[in-house]
Amino acid sequence: MVTLATDRAADGLGEVVYEGVNRLGRDEVTLRLRRGGSDLFALERQLVRAGGVTLTQVFLVDAEAELHDFASADPYGDSLQGSYLALRQRYLSESGGRAAQRPGLAGNCLDQIGEIEHCRHEAELLRIARAVTQALGAEQYIFSWLVLDEKSGDVIEHRYLAGCDPAWLNKYIDHVWYMNDPLLEYAKRNVTPVLSSRLDLYSDAHWLATQAAAHGFRNNLVCPVHSGTGSVFVMLQASNAKRTEAGEEVLWRNRRSLRLLTCELLDWRLAGLRQQAASQFSLSEQELKVLRMVHDGGTAANVAEALGVSVKTVYGVVYPRIDNKMGTPNINKAAAMAVSSGLIK
């Protein structure tokens, strides 16, 4: 378990200094500018589709030109022009118009990865991930946080920490290619790194072999890691545009370090969720113990024996108290929520 710095931001996402919400047909697009430290800013674009699927991109903003590049690559750019203009003005006001410094890798990759647990905001994660992946042979990367619908198995929440060409990720989302992504399908069911060339791409004309390659994703290493909850997993796609043999060789050689980076990014996110949930629900250690027992299949009789109370007290006092704190209709729902929020495993 990650020990967070005591001054970590409340949600780890950064202070919102601009937000613009736009209805575009049946979709909703929200643009946010977040401050992630004294000189760090992140652009967040969240798309909520009519069916409820949420896709959020987070990019580090070092200069005004990067906002222009992102807006130009947005398929809804014309409709969002007013929001992008307001966001740009806010960025210039908050940053003083100064481009942020791009420090190189301080120390070795393991040292940098070790700093992740002390990050207060996602913008700091983006800076470290960029430095580490580049040092390990990747020219671009996308770290994806993915939440599955427990019934259908479909991904209903995508959150991307992106160090890539914004035109590519916007195209990927706009064409709904996440519904036909062999890398994502592999990551759902596996936990070992793999090169995309070793996966079945259905055909030589698949978008991963043509469109993605045109945006610099010629060689891809995917590192999937699962959270243990069953409904949340992550994957790091590290890519370069080198000649295939050399490009794949450097990524494969560094697969263990890239997987370690993926694990640390996942742990950082889960630790933040645990911190939020613990603050929100104010559950005691005893109540967390009860939830773990219920999640593991324990009965009211098991709980009663563990707590030294009667079964009647479990049903009449212990379970209702937990349900009241968590706003759930029954203890099984409370246990499921505790798992999804990272309170218990």
Side-chain angles (χ1 to χ4, degrees), residues 24-74:
L24 302 172
R26 300 177 64 196
D27 295 340
E28 181 178 280
V29 178
T30 301
L31 297 177
R32 298 185 183 93
L33 179 66
R34 293 184 181 272
R35 179 188 287 275
S38 59
D39 67 337
L40 290 177
F41 294 87
L43 169 62
E44 180 182 285
R45 179 190 188 271
Q46 182 179 77
L47 169 64
V48 181
R49 295 204 180 274
V53 175
T54 301
L55 301 109
T56 306
Q57 306 174 57
V58 186
F59 281 81
L60 190 64
V61 179
D62 287 328
E64 179 188 359
E66 293 174 338
L67 295 178
H68 178 270
D69 291 344
F70 189 93
S72 299
D74 192 329

Side-chain angles (χ1 to χ4, degrees), residues 38 50 57 60 63 78 109 126 139 142 148 153 162 174 178 194 202 228 233 262 294 304 328 331 338:
S38 59
Q57 306 174 57
L60 190 64
D78 290 342
C109 289
L126 286 161
E139 295 160 358
I142 302 174
L148 296 171
D174 189 49
Y178 51 86
V194 69
Y202 316 125
F233 69 102
T262 311
V294 172
T328 50
I331 196 64

Side-chain angles (χ1 to χ4, degrees), residues 260-322:
L260 176 60
L261 171 64
T262 311
C263 290
E264 288 297 314
L265 290 171
L266 170 61
D267 283 350
W268 185 90
R269 177 72 168 153
L270 290 176
L273 291 176
R274 285 193 293 270
Q275 178 177 285
Q276 285 183 267
S279 175
Q280 178 182 354
F281 301 130
S282 300
L283 295 169
S284 67
E285 284 301 317
Q286 185 182 77
E287 289 165 339
L288 290 173
K289 178 180 179 180
V290 170
L291 288 169
R292 290 189 193 96
M293 293 180 67
V294 172
H295 175 64
D296 291 339
T299 65
N302 299 138
V303 173
E305 181 179 1
L307 300 185
V309 299
S310 67
V311 171
K312 182 177 180 180
T313 298
V314 171
Y315 279 121
V317 178
V318 177
Y319 286 174
R321 183 171 61 222
I322 294 173

Side-chain angles (χ1 to χ4, degrees), residues 17 39 42 66 107 113-114 146 185 199 201 212-213 250 287:
V17 295
D39 67 337
E66 293 174 338
I113 293 172
L146 304 147
E185 290 304 313
L199 299 178
L201 297 185
V250 68
E287 289 165 339

Side-chain angles (χ1 to χ4, degrees), residues 164-307:
C164 67
D165 178 359
W168 165 242
L169 193 50
N170 273 305
K171 181 183 289 187
Y172 175 85
I173 291 172
D174 189 49
H175 286 73
V176 200
W177 280 334
Y178 51 86
M179 297 295 292
N180 178 34
D181 188 343
L183 306 184
L184 180 55
E185 290 304 313
Y186 174 85
K188 282 183 181 180
R189 300 171 178 83
N190 296 274
V191 295
T192 55
V194 69
L195 293 165
S196 61
S197 63
R198 299 181 185 179
L199 299 178
D200 182 6
L201 297 185
Y202 316 125
S203 75
D204 292 338
H206 192 276
W207 54 261
L208 186 59
T210 56
Q211 296 290 325
H215 287 274
F217 287 77
R218 181 177 181 180
N219 308 299
N220 304 284
L221 179 78
V222 176
C223 298
V225 179
H226 291 246
S227 68
T229 68
S231 61
V232 173
F233 69 102
V234 299
M235 70 176 194
L236 177 71
Q237 180 183 356
S239 308
N240 64 44
K242 302 180 188 297
R243 184 170 52 84
T244 297
E245 184 177 347
E248 287 194 338
E249 192 279 330
V250 68
L251 294 173
W252 187 248
R253 185 175 68 244
N254 291 315
R255 66 190 182 279
R256 294 180 181 86
S257 295
L258 289 166
R259 189 176 190 278
L260 176 60
L261 171 64
T262 311
C263 290
E264 288 297 314
L265 290 171
L266 170 61
D267 283 350
W268 185 90
R269 177 72 168 153
L270 290 176
L273 291 176
R274 285 193 293 270
Q275 178 177 285
Q276 285 183 267
S279 175
Q280 178 182 354
F281 301 130
S282 300
L283 295 169
S284 67
E285 284 301 317
Q286 185 182 77
E287 289 165 339
L288 290 173
K289 178 180 179 180
V290 170
L291 288 169
R292 290 189 193 96
M293 293 180 67
V294 172
H295 175 64
D296 291 339
T299 65
N302 299 138
V303 173
E305 181 179 1
L307 300 185

